[in-house]
Every structure is written in C-alpha cells, then in structure tokens.
Amino acid sequence: MAELAVEVKNISKQFGRTLALDQVSLEVPAGELFALLGPNGAGKTTLVHILCTIHLPDAGQAKIAGFDVVNQAVMARQSLGVVFQEPSLDSRLTVFENLDFHGRIYAVPTALRKQRIPEVLELVELTKWRDALVRNLSGGMKRRLEIARALMHDPALLILDEPTVGLDAQTRSRIWEYIYALQKERGMTVLVTTHYIDEVEGCDRVCIIDKGKIQALDTPEALRATYGQEVLWVEPKDALARAAILGKYPQALEHQGKLGVRNLSEGQVAAFFAEFGTRIRSSNLQTASLEDVFLALTGRAIRDQAAGGKDAMLEFGKRGGEHTQ
C-alpha cells in the first residue's frame, strides 16, 4: 500500500448553526497532485485549516505524513508547507529576507538555508528579484514567492488554498506550471483547493465537495465518464422540424433556439442524422466536461464568489502557542 500523505476519517466541523464539514473522509497518497474542487463555502478551506492545525475538528481524525493534527500538531506542522488564500508575506522585507526568516522559524540550518534560497528562487523565477522589497512585487510575483517560501523547510506536503484567486488568466496559468513542476519533477505531494474547474484537469485526482460533503472523488477522466454528459446540439430548420425532434426526444435540452440531445451512442447519433439530417441547419457534439460533472452532482453551476480566509497565517502561528522550533 502506498504511503499516505493525508488521511482524513469522518471529519466534522460546525460553526454556530452551520455544518461546514459533514463526515468527510479521504486519503491522499504520497506524490499525488490532489484537488479539492468546490464553490466558496463548500468546506474546502475549513478542511485545510483542520489539516494545518488552525481549527480543531468536532469529530473524526486527520493525519499529515502519519502525524495526528490534534495530538501531534507540532510534527504535523513540520511536515507542511502552506500557501493560504490571503497574502502573508512581510512587505517591509526583501524577497531574500522573507525566505531566510521562514527558514529560521523552521530551524533550517544556516548552510542549508543558503543552499535552498537560490534553489526555490530559481524554481519560481524570482532570482533577479532576490533583493527587491516585497511591497514592490506584482500580485503574481508575491504568490510565486509564497510558494517558494513554503518549500524552504522541505515539507512532505504542500497545501495551496485557492492559490490563483485574484490573479489574471496568464498569471494563473503560470502558477499552475510551477505546481505541475513541483509534483512531477520533485515527486512532491500537493493538495490544492480551487473553485476554478479548468484548473483541475491536470490533477491526478479531484475531490468535488459541496455543502460540507464529498460528492465524488476520482480522476478527471473517470469523473467525466461516470457523471458527465455528451450533448448533440442541433438547430432545426423550422418549427415543424423542431416539433418532430422534440416528439422523438422529449427530454431534449433547449437553449437559444437549439435542441440538445444527451448521451447518444455512436449508433444513435447515426440514426438521428439518418432521420433528421436534412431538417437541421447545424449540429455540434459537446463532449463531457467537469462543469457537467459538477452540475450533475450538485444541481447547479459552480459559484464564483470572492474568496475568504483572512488571518489564516496569523492563526497558523497562534494555536496553542505552538510552532516548529
């Protein structure tokens, strides 16, 4: 059996009357790129905060690299590198000073700090900005620096909570290039949360979470095959053709004058065109997507709201007065 980087068993967490997590269980093998996909408010960040020892679970158990996050919190933290939603760099310090300070906090020896700082800066392409003040960096550069900082103490698991929120599309894509490089070239275990469906296509496995419950967990390919829908969209030539198609396929979707027939086999597609091919203006076969999967599992499209999570880094250093020494 593969070594597990994350073990979560029947974790529940409630805030007032809100049940943020409801009997959540999952496992992440070492070396996997694992995504938690869900809308804001789904429970992703609450689960991350429990794994990071910020919040205590109301019930259940969680382990990081074999260490219980409640009873062995210090050892669990030493195994973690974390990039929270909210910026947590010291803007008054330089890029180098932020990395060096983090290394000191985690008791990384001086010689090893001198070796790792140029390594992580090269990884995220910030070598030229080594001596720049953090306040002068762009948003994307700051996020890259936070990834580099999280790697300074060579963690067993890298957690990134909504790492691309607020970034433009080009910078989002670049951040994911760094994530893929970490996972593939270094064999690092990466757990990332996101509400951007397009970002999880390259992950090894995707856990869809909504309203505090796991809705599905599998590879992107398996999720599409199990829950996704292929739709044959056609534009009827006239009202009579439209009525005929709806008479044959009463469950057809209707959108902007087009009709959509779901999950036809190759033979059924051929039969459709044999019967209606001369009565349609255009056709398009829409393949299954993770958006379809999410819609099928939750009954709604994924929401795109502003991310929360303020002060997580502060809490990470406060609970129980613990930190790595």
Side-chain angles (χ1 to χ4, degrees):
M1 183 177 177
E3 178 186 353
L4 294 177
V6 179
E7 298 175 75
V8 175
K9 296 180 181 178
N10 301 317
I11 286 288
S12 293
K13 182 66 179 179
Q14 189 160 340
F15 298 99
R17 296 183 179 180
T18 301
L19 185 59
L21 295 173
D22 186 6
Q23 296 288 304
V24 169
S25 296
L26 58 85
E27 295 180 345
V28 181
E32 187 170 73
L33 175 51
F34 186 91
L36 278 172
L37 173 67
N40 292 308
K44 304 186 305 296
T45 294
T46 298
L47 180 56
V48 164
H49 284 182
I50 288 174
L51 293 177
C52 295
T53 77
I54 294 172
H55 294 321
L56 295 173
D58 295 333
Q61 183 184 47
K63 293 182 179 181
I64 297 294
F67 299 110
D68 188 283
V69 299
V70 175
N71 300 319
Q72 300 170 294
V74 172
M75 296 302 295
R77 288 184 179 205
Q78 288 176 333
S79 304
L80 282 174
V82 188
V83 176
F84 291 107
Q85 289 183 25
E86 293 296 317
S88 56
L89 299 166
D90 191 325
S91 62
R92 298 164 298 178
L93 300 181
T94 66
V95 168
F96 171 85
E97 288 168 340
N98 269 273
L99 295 177
D100 186 64
F101 179 73
H102 184 86
R104 290 172 185 267
I105 289 290
Y106 278 85
V108 178
T110 302
L112 196 52
R113 291 201 308 275
K114 290 182 178 180
Q115 174 187 326
R116 283 189 182 155
I117 288 175
E119 287 179 353
V120 295
L121 285 177
E122 182 177 0
L123 175 69
V124 298
E125 300 180 304
L126 287 177
T127 302
K128 292 191 298 183
W129 286 273
R130 177 184 183 277
D131 298 316
L133 288 174
V134 166
R135 65 176 175 233
N136 294 329
L137 302 181
S138 68
M141 293 167 72
K142 290 177 182 176
R143 188 57 95 191
R144 284 151 53 190
L145 177 56
E146 288 184 302
I147 293 174
R149 184 185 61 181
L151 299 174
M152 275 295 297
H153 59 288
D154 194 26
L157 170 68
L158 177 64
I159 294 180
L160 304 111
D161 190 16
E162 298 276 8
T164 61
V165 165
L167 302 178
D168 61 79
Q170 184 177 5
T171 304
R172 282 174 55 198
S173 177
R174 199 76 181 111
I175 292 296
W176 273 95
E177 288 181 19
Y178 300 130
I179 294 172
Y180 292 138
L182 283 171
Q183 194 266 335
K184 294 178 181 178
E185 297 173 14
R186 297 190 172 201
M188 175 167 281
T189 310
V190 181
L191 187 156
V192 61
T193 78
T194 183
H195 61 277
Y196 296 124
I197 285 182
D198 61 300
E199 292 189 340
V200 303
E201 289 286 354
C203 294
D204 295 316
R205 286 191 304 154
V206 177
C207 176
I208 295 178
I209 185 170
D210 189 37
K211 296 179 181 178
K213 287 181 174 287
I214 291 179
Q215 307 297 326
L217 197 169
D218 215 323
T219 64
E221 296 78 11
L223 288 172
R224 283 193 295 268
T226 303
Y227 301 102
Q229 300 183 87
E230 284 192 342
V231 182
L232 175 64
W233 289 99
V234 298
E235 182 182 3
K237 285 184 175 180
D238 50 43
L240 289 177
R242 183 183 186 82
I245 294 172
L246 285 173
K248 183 71 177 286
Y249 303 97
Q251 301 301 317
L253 304 172
E254 300 185 57
H255 181 66
Q256 295 183 347
K258 295 184 178 182
L259 299 177
V261 185
R262 292 173 286 190
N263 294 332
L264 296 178
S265 66
E266 288 187 18
Q268 289 171 326
V269 170
F272 178 93
F273 282 107
E275 183 173 358
F276 298 109
T278 60
R279 306 181 69 180
I280 59 176
R281 298 181 188 278
S282 62
S283 65
N284 175 53
L285 184 62
Q286 178 182 309
T287 58
S289 69
L290 287 177
E291 183 79 44
D292 300 326
V293 173
F294 191 89
L295 184 62
L297 288 167
T298 68
R300 57 198 170 85
I302 195 165
R303 298 186 301 274
D304 188 3
Q305 302 168 346
K310 290 185 178 181
D311 301 323
M313 191 67 182
L314 176 62
E315 292 299 321
F316 186 63
K318 283 172 60 178
R319 187 170 81 74
E322 298 167 345
H323 217 302
T324 50
Q325 296 293 336

